[in-house]
Amino acid sequence: MISFENVSKRYPNGYDALNQVDFSLRQGEMAFLTGHSGAGKSTLMKLIMLMERPTNGRVLVGDQDLATLGHRQIPYHRRRVGVVFQNHQLLFDRSVFDNIALPLRICGYDPDDAARRVRAALDKVGLLSKEKMNPVVLSGGEQQRIGIARAIVHKPQLLLADEPTGNLDPKLSVEIMRLFQQFNQVGTTVLIASHDLGLIGRLPHRVLTLNQGRLINDG
Amino acid sequence: MANQPRTPRSAAPKGASRVQPTQKRDGKVARGAEQHRLKVKDKSRSYLRHHGDVARESFDSLLRSPLTTLMTLAVLAIALALPATLYTGLKNLQALSVGWQGDPRIALYLQEGVDEVRAEQLSRELLLRDNVAATELISAEQGMLEFKQTSGFGEVFDFLEINPLPAVIMVLPKDLSTAIVPVLQAQLQALDEVEDANVDMLWVQRLEAFVILAQRGVWVLSGLFALAVLLVVGNTIRLTIENRREEIVIAKLVGATDAYVRRPFLYDGFWFGIAGGVLAWLLVQISLLLLDTPVSHLITLYSSNFELSGLGFIETFWLLLASILLGSLGAWLAVGRHLRAIQPT
């Protein structure tokens, strides 16, 4: 599903964020990406999202070489990927429902169909009753779950999460991870960047460890 | 978009994302993400509906900050109304001058000694000329009568013992061009019976020159004001883009195309254009209404039946078209410049 072939990323200021990273993730696999801050987790995620381009090497997502995608194709690539952010990136000028419906609107879904899918996504994250609320009144954990609902509402093949439990207490973190496991069980490939080693260690998934831009551990 | 091998857009209709059911470790076939395909017919319908939605949302968002919107609209309306008013004024001036311009007649003031019979005869002789279209004799008595009626100085004649006015033959040349009329005038001036042949051409020419100058002026001003409209709309849209930066970043992250992100701002520009145009039209018509009474008073004093005309159907169409285009173009320029700078990081 994801394949990094000898990928390096050097930023214009000379900083080497990734150095010859080589790994692949099978379809339907779930893995954690860990490492200190600045180890290159975010850069790796950005390469998958085409927010950055590698300096060297190839990144493939679902057999598609991302280097062949031009600026105009980036949006269509992103529609295949769901992303969960540490800071939720929710819009506080609209309801929970409208936040989750955004990817569907962008893809041009029929409103009735979209409403059904939004409610299904809300149901999965256990927040069906909050659909009309403004996300600003929700707790941190609830906001994160809204962020997850938005990431999976259009049923992407690949789900990325960047520090999804960064601001949450351990109990909430476990709940969030359980959600990701549920999505993985229905076939979604999941890659989660996290430095919560305690939590990761208790889960039976593959762990990719980055250190100063190099992949030092994969297992 | 011909060459994009595996993007969802070419592989499947918009919004479709397919995941093949995968064999899981425990041997069960996972249901996976359900397939979702949009039919081509649905796609075009959804595109139209999306445009409708965006247009309405853009309109609503302008109404949500009525004061800001109104201020912008006022500036736009004034910038559009000024050239439109000048244009209308010029159009009326032209309409007014057409009545006079139409027949640059040569007035032949006859010598004192020419009697009425000879004047009549001369008038008929002139009519036989190839280059004369019509003649009209105004005898001295007739002239006095008309003068009394129209000038308001009729009483002056009561103090005079004799009629001081000469008989006049008005000659309408066949060829009214400014090159030919003076030639005919010189020929007629040479006649024995004619004291003076007078063409009131100079002021017509001056008026023409003035109108041409004013037209040019209106165009130059229109250009400047159009630029002002572009800048005002562009700046307003720039601020809106800044206010919605977060939303733009998120939309781009979940797969919004540039066109999708651009669309609401272009509709903002469109609405600004159309509302500014309508307001400008109102301003022009109201200004003309205010001017109408004094103008018709002035016109009565000149005993003319001229009527002040406002913006007609076609002119209104052009005004609205221009304002819509300017509004949209202003938005387009601002969006092109500022949206590229906003990328998710």
Side-chain angles (χ1 to χ4, degrees), chain A residues 27-28 46 49 51 62 64 69 71-73 75-80 85 89-91 93-94 102-103 105-111 113 117 150 154-157 184-187, chain B residues 1 3-4 6-9 14-15 17-20 22 24 30 32-36 38 46 49-50 53-54 57 246-247 250-258 260 343-345:
Chain A
Q27 184 159 340
K46 283 180 184 173
M49 286 300 287
M51 288 156 74
Q64 167 88 61
L69 297 181
H71 174 77
R72 298 171 66 87
Q73 281 118 306
Y76 303 103
H77 166 67
R78 288 184 181 155
R79 290 177 194 181
R80 297 192 293 160
F85 307 91
Q89 300 266 38
L90 298 178
L91 294 167
D93 64 347
R94 61 196 73 189
L102 185 68
R105 271 200 71 180
I106 286 171
C107 295
Y109 279 63
D110 173 78
D113 188 20
R117 285 163 190 271
R150 187 183 59 194
H154 57 304
K155 307 214 160 146
Q157 297 141 290
N184 177 240
Q185 273 154 22
V186 296
Chain B
M1 300 305 268
N3 190 21
Q4 27 173 295
R6 289 203 25 108
T7 57
R9 186 184 244 191
K14 252 187 186 174
S17 62
R18 298 187 70 177
V19 172
Q20 296 301 322
T22 44
K24 299 292 288 187
E34 283 159 35
Q35 290 185 13
H36 178 256
L38 293 173
S46 111
R49 188 189 50 232
H50 168 64
D53 287 351
V54 174
E57 276 163 29
E246 206 189 358
E247 183 187 341
I250 293 173
K252 283 192 170 181
L253 274 177
V254 296
T257 55
D258 286 349
Y260 179 92
Q343 293 292 347
T345 51

Side-chain angles (χ1 to χ4, degrees), chain A residues 167-187:
Chain A
N167 300 322
L168 303 178
D169 63 42
K171 188 168 162 286
L172 281 173
S173 299
V174 170
E175 278 174 26
I176 296 287
M177 288 303 177
R178 202 164 291 148
L179 264 178
F180 284 119
Q181 284 176 313
Q182 280 169 21
F183 296 125
N184 177 240
Q185 273 154 22
V186 296

Side-chain angles (χ1 to χ4, degrees), chain A:
Chain A
M1 187 70 213
I2 304 177
S3 188
F4 273 59
E5 295 177 1
N6 217 6
V7 173
S8 299
K9 173 67 185 175
R10 171 174 288 189
Y11 283 105
N13 59 10
Y15 176 70
D16 284 307
L18 288 179
N19 206 334
Q20 299 186 320
V21 172
D22 222 28
F23 76 94
S24 63
L25 211 63
R26 289 193 321 278
Q27 184 159 340
E29 206 177 351
M30 176 160 170
F32 289 105
L33 181 66
T34 187
H36 299 289
S37 60
K41 299 191 295 285
S42 294
T43 302
L44 198 149
M45 294 286 194
K46 283 180 184 173
L47 290 177
I48 298 173
M49 286 300 287
L50 275 176
M51 288 156 74
E52 296 286 353
R53 301 266 190 182
T55 322
N56 266 313
R58 288 209 304 170
V59 180
L60 290 94
V61 174
D63 295 331
Q64 167 88 61
D65 183 353
L66 297 192
T68 62
L69 297 181
H71 174 77
R72 298 171 66 87
Q73 281 118 306
I74 291 177
Y76 303 103
H77 166 67
R78 288 184 181 155
R79 290 177 194 181
R80 297 192 293 160
V81 185
V83 195
V84 178
F85 307 91
Q86 179 178 3
N87 51 358
H88 331 307
Q89 300 266 38
L90 298 178
L91 294 167
F92 295 141
D93 64 347
R94 61 196 73 189
S95 66
V96 164
F97 182 95
D98 289 336
N99 265 282
I100 297 173
L102 185 68
L104 300 179
R105 271 200 71 180
I106 286 171
C107 295
Y109 279 63
D110 173 78
D112 296 335
D113 188 20
R116 227 164 18 84
R117 285 163 190 271
V118 169
R119 299 215 170 88
L122 270 171
D123 192 30
K124 274 180 199 148
V125 300
L127 290 175
L128 195 51
S129 58
K130 316 263 177 167
E131 105 181 44
K132 291 197 176 68
M133 290 184 163
N134 188 304
V136 82
V137 302
L138 301 180
S139 71
E142 286 171 330
Q143 287 185 357
Q144 189 56 286
R145 283 194 278 169
I146 300 301
I148 292 170
R150 187 183 59 194
I152 53 98
V153 69
H154 57 304
K155 307 214 160 146
Q157 297 141 290
L158 174 61
L159 183 58
L160 299 181
D162 192 1
E163 302 287 357
T165 59
N167 300 322
L168 303 178
D169 63 42
K171 188 168 162 286
L172 281 173
S173 299
V174 170
E175 278 174 26
I176 296 287
M177 288 303 177
R178 202 164 291 148
L179 264 178
F180 284 119
Q181 284 176 313
Q182 280 169 21
F183 296 125
N184 177 240
Q185 273 154 22
V186 296
T188 311
T189 311
V190 181
L191 180 62
I192 302 170
S194 173
H195 58 256
D196 192 347
L197 292 172
L199 179 62
I200 293 169
R202 291 200 299 276
L203 298 168
H205 301 290
R206 185 176 163 193
V207 179
L208 301 159
T209 311
L210 281 170
N211 188 20
Q212 296 186 333
R214 287 180 182 276
L215 195 62
I216 55 165
N217 187 27
D218 182 356

